[in-house]
PDB file of all heavy atoms in Angstrom:
ATOM      1  N   PRO A1445      27.153  -0.291  -0.898  1.00 90.00           N
ATOM      2  CA  PRO A1445      27.916  -1.394  -1.496  1.00 90.00           C
ATOM      3  C   PRO A1445      28.558  -0.976  -2.820  1.00 90.00           C
ATOM      4  O   PRO A1445      28.112  -0.042  -3.477  1.00 90.00           O
ATOM      5  CB  PRO A1445      26.845  -2.459  -1.732  1.00 90.00           C
ATOM      6  CG  PRO A1445      25.605  -1.659  -2.025  1.00 90.00           C
ATOM      7  CD  PRO A1445      25.691  -0.439  -1.127  1.00 90.00           C
ATOM      8  N   GLU A1446      29.613  -1.697  -3.185  1.00 88.00           N
ATOM      9  CA  GLU A1446      30.171  -1.517  -4.516  1.00 88.00           C
ATOM     10  C   GLU A1446      29.195  -2.053  -5.562  1.00 88.00           C
ATOM     11  O   GLU A1446      28.334  -2.890  -5.266  1.00 88.00           O
ATOM     12  CB  GLU A1446      31.493  -2.286  -4.642  1.00 88.00           C
ATOM     13  CG  GLU A1446      32.606  -1.770  -3.748  1.00 88.00           C
ATOM     14  CD  GLU A1446      33.851  -2.636  -3.850  1.00 88.00           C
ATOM     15  OE1 GLU A1446      33.723  -3.829  -4.201  1.00 88.00           O
ATOM     16  OE2 GLU A1446      34.948  -2.113  -3.577  1.00 88.00           O
ATOM     17  N   LEU A1447      29.325  -1.573  -6.782  1.00 88.00           N
ATOM     18  CA  LEU A1447      28.542  -2.128  -7.880  1.00 88.00           C
ATOM     19  C   LEU A1447      29.195  -3.430  -8.324  1.00 88.00           C
ATOM     20  O   LEU A1447      30.388  -3.465  -8.644  1.00 88.00           O
ATOM     21  CB  LEU A1447      28.482  -1.146  -9.051  1.00 88.00           C
ATOM     22  CG  LEU A1447      27.780   0.191  -8.784  1.00 88.00           C
ATOM     23  CD1 LEU A1447      27.725   1.028 -10.043  1.00 88.00           C
ATOM     24  CD2 LEU A1447      26.378  -0.029  -8.226  1.00 88.00           C
ATOM     25  N   ALA A1448      28.392  -4.499  -8.344  1.00 81.00           N
ATOM     26  CA  ALA A1448      28.901  -5.832  -8.692  1.00 81.00           C
ATOM     27  C   ALA A1448      30.113  -6.179  -7.831  1.00 81.00           C
ATOM     28  O   ALA A1448      31.099  -6.734  -8.300  1.00 81.00           O
ATOM     29  CB  ALA A1448      29.256  -5.905 -10.183  1.00 81.00           C
ATOM     30  N   GLY A1449      30.024  -5.839  -6.553  1.00 77.00           N
ATOM     31  CA  GLY A1449      31.156  -6.018  -5.645  1.00 77.00           C
ATOM     32  C   GLY A1449      30.968  -7.168  -4.680  1.00 77.00           C
ATOM     33  O   GLY A1449      30.159  -8.077  -4.885  1.00 77.00           O
ATOM     34  N   LYS A1450      31.715  -7.095  -3.561  1.00 73.00           N
ATOM     35  CA  LYS A1450      31.746  -8.196  -2.604  1.00 73.00           C
ATOM     36  C   LYS A1450      30.369  -8.476  -2.004  1.00 73.00           C
ATOM     37  O   LYS A1450      29.973  -9.634  -1.830  1.00 73.00           O
ATOM     38  CB  LYS A1450      32.737  -7.890  -1.480  1.00 73.00           C
ATOM     39  CG  LYS A1450      34.176  -7.669  -1.954  1.00 73.00           C
ATOM     40  CD  LYS A1450      35.082  -7.378  -0.765  1.00 73.00           C
ATOM     41  CE  LYS A1450      36.505  -7.041  -1.213  1.00 73.00           C
ATOM     42  NZ  LYS A1450      36.540  -5.734  -1.929  1.00 73.00           N
ATOM     43  N   ALA A1451      29.619  -7.411  -1.669  1.00 70.00           N
ATOM     44  CA  ALA A1451      28.307  -7.616  -1.045  1.00 70.00           C
ATOM     45  C   ALA A1451      27.349  -8.311  -1.997  1.00 70.00           C
ATOM     46  O   ALA A1451      26.536  -9.141  -1.580  1.00 70.00           O
ATOM     47  CB  ALA A1451      27.733  -6.275  -0.596  1.00 70.00           C
ATOM     48  N   MET A1452      27.459  -8.026  -3.266  1.00 75.00           N
ATOM     49  CA  MET A1452      26.595  -8.696  -4.244  1.00 75.00           C
ATOM     50  C   MET A1452      26.971 -10.170  -4.367  1.00 75.00           C
ATOM     51  O   MET A1452      26.106 -11.047  -4.363  1.00 75.00           O
ATOM     52  CB  MET A1452      26.715  -8.014  -5.604  1.00 75.00           C
ATOM     53  CG  MET A1452      25.725  -8.535  -6.649  1.00 75.00           C
ATOM     54  SD  MET A1452      26.155  -8.024  -8.330  1.00 75.00           S
ATOM     55  CE  MET A1452      27.483  -9.198  -8.685  1.00 75.00           C
ATOM     56  N   VAL A1453      28.275 -10.414  -4.461  1.00 71.00           N
ATOM     57  CA  VAL A1453      28.739 -11.790  -4.624  1.00 71.00           C
ATOM     58  C   VAL A1453      28.343 -12.647  -3.415  1.00 71.00           C
ATOM     59  O   VAL A1453      27.912 -13.798  -3.552  1.00 71.00           O
ATOM     60  CB  VAL A1453      30.266 -11.823  -4.831  1.00 71.00           C
ATOM     61  CG1 VAL A1453      30.780 -13.258  -4.820  1.00 71.00           C
ATOM     62  CG2 VAL A1453      30.627 -11.133  -6.144  1.00 71.00           C
ATOM     63  N   SER A1454      28.459 -12.073  -2.219  1.00 70.00           N
ATOM     64  CA  SER A1454      28.136 -12.820  -1.001  1.00 70.00           C
ATOM     65  C   SER A1454      26.669 -12.688  -0.597  1.00 70.00           C
ATOM     66  O   SER A1454      26.275 -13.142   0.478  1.00 70.00           O
ATOM     67  CB  SER A1454      29.029 -12.340   0.153  1.00 70.00           C
ATOM     68  OG  SER A1454      28.819 -10.959   0.403  1.00 70.00           O
ATOM     69  N   GLN A1455      25.888 -12.045  -1.463  1.00 77.00           N
ATOM     70  CA  GLN A1455      24.441 -11.898  -1.254  1.00 77.00           C
ATOM     71  C   GLN A1455      24.125 -11.178   0.052  1.00 77.00           C
ATOM     72  O   GLN A1455      23.234 -11.575   0.809  1.00 77.00           O
ATOM     73  CB  GLN A1455      23.751 -13.266  -1.303  1.00 77.00           C
ATOM     74  CG  GLN A1455      23.924 -13.973  -2.641  1.00 77.00           C
ATOM     75  CD  GLN A1455      23.164 -15.280  -2.721  1.00 77.00           C
ATOM     76  OE1 GLN A1455      22.736 -15.850  -1.709  1.00 77.00           O
ATOM     77  NE2 GLN A1455      22.990 -15.789  -3.935  1.00 77.00           N
ATOM     78  N   ARG A1456      24.861 -10.099   0.320  1.00 78.00           N
ATOM     79  CA  ARG A1456      24.628  -9.302   1.520  1.00 78.00           C
ATOM     80  C   ARG A1456      24.046  -7.923   1.192  1.00 78.00           C
ATOM     81  O   ARG A1456      24.056  -7.039   2.034  1.00 78.00           O
ATOM     82  CB  ARG A1456      25.942  -9.133   2.298  1.00 78.00           C
ATOM     83  CG  ARG A1456      26.428 -10.417   2.973  1.00 78.00           C
ATOM     84  CD  ARG A1456      27.688 -10.195   3.807  1.00 78.00           C
ATOM     85  NE  ARG A1456      28.854  -9.911   2.978  1.00 78.00           N
ATOM     86  CZ  ARG A1456      29.423  -8.732   2.835  1.00 78.00           C
ATOM     87  NH1 ARG A1456      28.929  -7.670   3.454  1.00 78.00           N
ATOM     88  NH2 ARG A1456      30.493  -8.575   2.065  1.00 78.00           N
ATOM     89  N   LEU A1457      23.555  -7.745  -0.013  1.00 81.00           N
ATOM     90  CA  LEU A1457      22.948  -6.465  -0.388  1.00 81.00           C
ATOM     91  C   LEU A1457      21.622  -6.267   0.335  1.00 81.00           C
ATOM     92  O   LEU A1457      20.879  -7.240   0.580  1.00 81.00           O
ATOM     93  CB  LEU A1457      22.697  -6.411  -1.896  1.00 81.00           C
ATOM     94  CG  LEU A1457      23.916  -6.369  -2.817  1.00 81.00           C
ATOM     95  CD1 LEU A1457      23.465  -6.453  -4.269  1.00 81.00           C
ATOM     96  CD2 LEU A1457      24.730  -5.101  -2.595  1.00 81.00           C
ATOM     97  N   THR A1458      21.306  -5.037   0.686  1.00 86.00           N
ATOM     98  CA  THR A1458      19.963  -4.739   1.180  1.00 86.00           C
ATOM     99  C   THR A1458      18.972  -4.996   0.049  1.00 86.00           C
ATOM    100  O   THR A1458      19.334  -5.005  -1.134  1.00 86.00           O
ATOM    101  CB  THR A1458      19.855  -3.282   1.638  1.00 86.00           C
ATOM    102  OG1 THR A1458      20.088  -2.416   0.514  1.00 86.00           O
ATOM    103  CG2 THR A1458      20.848  -2.967   2.747  1.00 86.00           C
ATOM    104  N   ALA A1459      17.718  -5.184   0.416  1.00 86.00           N
ATOM    105  CA  ALA A1459      16.706  -5.493  -0.604  1.00 86.00           C
ATOM    106  C   ALA A1459      16.618  -4.409  -1.683  1.00 86.00           C
ATOM    107  O   ALA A1459      16.579  -4.733  -2.879  1.00 86.00           O
ATOM    108  CB  ALA A1459      15.351  -5.711   0.059  1.00 86.00           C
ATOM    109  N   PRO A1460      16.603  -3.098  -1.314  1.00 85.00           N
ATOM    110  CA  PRO A1460      16.553  -2.085  -2.375  1.00 85.00           C
ATOM    111  C   PRO A1460      17.776  -2.113  -3.282  1.00 85.00           C
ATOM    112  O   PRO A1460      17.649  -1.983  -4.508  1.00 85.00           O
ATOM    113  CB  PRO A1460      16.462  -0.766  -1.599  1.00 85.00           C
ATOM    114  CG  PRO A1460      15.908  -1.123  -0.263  1.00 85.00           C
ATOM    115  CD  PRO A1460      16.469  -2.477   0.025  1.00 85.00           C
ATOM    116  N   SER A1461      18.973  -2.283  -2.700  1.00 87.00           N
ATOM    117  CA  SER A1461      20.187  -2.318  -3.519  1.00 87.00           C
ATOM    118  C   SER A1461      20.197  -3.532  -4.444  1.00 87.00           C
ATOM    119  O   SER A1461      20.612  -3.437  -5.608  1.00 87.00           O
ATOM    120  CB  SER A1461      21.430  -2.337  -2.635  1.00 87.00           C
ATOM    121  OG  SER A1461      21.683  -1.062  -2.097  1.00 87.00           O
ATOM    122  N   LYS A1462      19.746  -4.665  -3.929  1.00 83.00           N
ATOM    123  CA  LYS A1462      19.711  -5.868  -4.767  1.00 83.00           C
ATOM    124  C   LYS A1462      18.771  -5.659  -5.944  1.00 83.00           C
ATOM    125  O   LYS A1462      19.099  -6.016  -7.089  1.00 83.00           O
ATOM    126  CB  LYS A1462      19.260  -7.082  -3.958  1.00 83.00           C
ATOM    127  CG  LYS A1462      19.258  -8.382  -4.779  1.00 83.00           C
ATOM    128  CD  LYS A1462      18.826  -9.571  -3.953  1.00 83.00           C
ATOM    129  CE  LYS A1462      18.960 -10.870  -4.755  1.00 83.00           C
ATOM    130  NZ  LYS A1462      18.249 -10.822  -6.049  1.00 83.00           N
ATOM    131  N   GLN A1463      17.624  -5.082  -5.677  1.00 87.00           N
ATOM    132  CA  GLN A1463      16.661  -4.853  -6.758  1.00 87.00           C
ATOM    133  C   GLN A1463      17.259  -3.908  -7.812  1.00 87.00           C
ATOM    134  O   GLN A1463      17.112  -4.136  -9.019  1.00 87.00           O
ATOM    135  CB  GLN A1463      15.366  -4.272  -6.204  1.00 87.00           C
ATOM    136  CG  GLN A1463      14.302  -4.030  -7.274  1.00 87.00           C
ATOM    137  CD  GLN A1463      13.024  -3.456  -6.689  1.00 87.00           C
ATOM    138  OE1 GLN A1463      12.958  -3.116  -5.513  1.00 87.00           O
ATOM    139  NE2 GLN A1463      12.001  -3.344  -7.519  1.00 87.00           N
ATOM    140  N   GLU A1464      17.951  -2.864  -7.349  1.00 87.00           N
ATOM    141  CA  GLU A1464      18.525  -1.899  -8.286  1.00 87.00           C
ATOM    142  C   GLU A1464      19.644  -2.511  -9.111  1.00 87.00           C
ATOM    143  O   GLU A1464      19.729  -2.300 -10.327  1.00 87.00           O
ATOM    144  CB  GLU A1464      19.013  -0.666  -7.514  1.00 87.00           C
ATOM    145  CG  GLU A1464      17.876   0.190  -6.985  1.00 87.00           C
ATOM    146  CD  GLU A1464      18.242   1.020  -5.761  1.00 87.00           C
ATOM    147  OE1 GLU A1464      19.413   0.949  -5.321  1.00 87.00           O
ATOM    148  OE2 GLU A1464      17.362   1.727  -5.236  1.00 87.00           O
ATOM    149  N   GLN A1465      20.519  -3.287  -8.469  1.00 88.00           N
ATOM    150  CA  GLN A1465      21.602  -3.910  -9.215  1.00 88.00           C
ATOM    151  C   GLN A1465      21.075  -5.010 -10.134  1.00 88.00           C
ATOM    152  O   GLN A1465      21.591  -5.206 -11.243  1.00 88.00           O
ATOM    153  CB  GLN A1465      22.677  -4.435  -8.261  1.00 88.00           C
ATOM    154  CG  GLN A1465      23.379  -3.330  -7.480  1.00 88.00           C
ATOM    155  CD  GLN A1465      24.797  -3.685  -7.073  1.00 88.00           C
ATOM    156  OE1 GLN A1465      25.483  -4.450  -7.756  1.00 88.00           O
ATOM    157  NE2 GLN A1465      25.254  -3.109  -5.965  1.00 88.00           N
ATOM    158  N   ASP A1466      20.013  -5.702  -9.704  1.00 84.00           N
ATOM    159  CA  ASP A1466      19.369  -6.685 -10.583  1.00 84.00           C
ATOM    160  C   ASP A1466      18.807  -5.994 -11.825  1.00 84.00           C
ATOM    161  O   ASP A1466      18.996  -6.462 -12.960  1.00 84.00           O
ATOM    162  CB  ASP A1466      18.227  -7.404  -9.854  1.00 84.00           C
ATOM    163  CG  ASP A1466      18.730  -8.491  -8.910  1.00 84.00           C
ATOM    164  OD1 ASP A1466      19.913  -8.861  -9.011  1.00 84.00           O
ATOM    165  OD2 ASP A1466      17.933  -8.945  -8.064  1.00 84.00           O
ATOM    166  N   THR A1467      18.109  -4.887 -11.600  1.00 85.00           N
ATOM    167  CA  THR A1467      17.475  -4.163 -12.703  1.00 85.00           C
ATOM    168  C   THR A1467      18.501  -3.711 -13.736  1.00 85.00           C
ATOM    169  O   THR A1467      18.254  -3.744 -14.945  1.00 85.00           O
ATOM    170  CB  THR A1467      16.704  -2.942 -12.160  1.00 85.00           C
ATOM    171  OG1 THR A1467      15.684  -3.392 -11.265  1.00 85.00           O
ATOM    172  CG2 THR A1467      16.058  -2.150 -13.289  1.00 85.00           C
ATOM    173  N   ALA A1468      19.674  -3.283 -13.243  1.00 84.00           N
ATOM    174  CA  ALA A1468      20.722  -2.817 -14.143  1.00 84.00           C
ATOM    175  C   ALA A1468      21.501  -3.960 -14.780  1.00 84.00           C
ATOM    176  O   ALA A1468      22.416  -3.719 -15.580  1.00 84.00           O
ATOM    177  CB  ALA A1468      21.674  -1.893 -13.393  1.00 84.00           C
TER     178      ALA A1468
END
Side-chain angles (χ1 to χ4, degrees):
E1446 295 176 335
L1447 296 183
K1450 300 180 185 68
M1452 187 194 78
V1453 173
S1454 60
Q1455 299 184 344
R1456 289 184 291 106
L1457 292 175
T1458 62
S1461 284
K1462 182 179 185 306
Q1463 181 180 7
E1464 288 155 1
Q1465 295 208 30
D1466 282 346
T1467 299

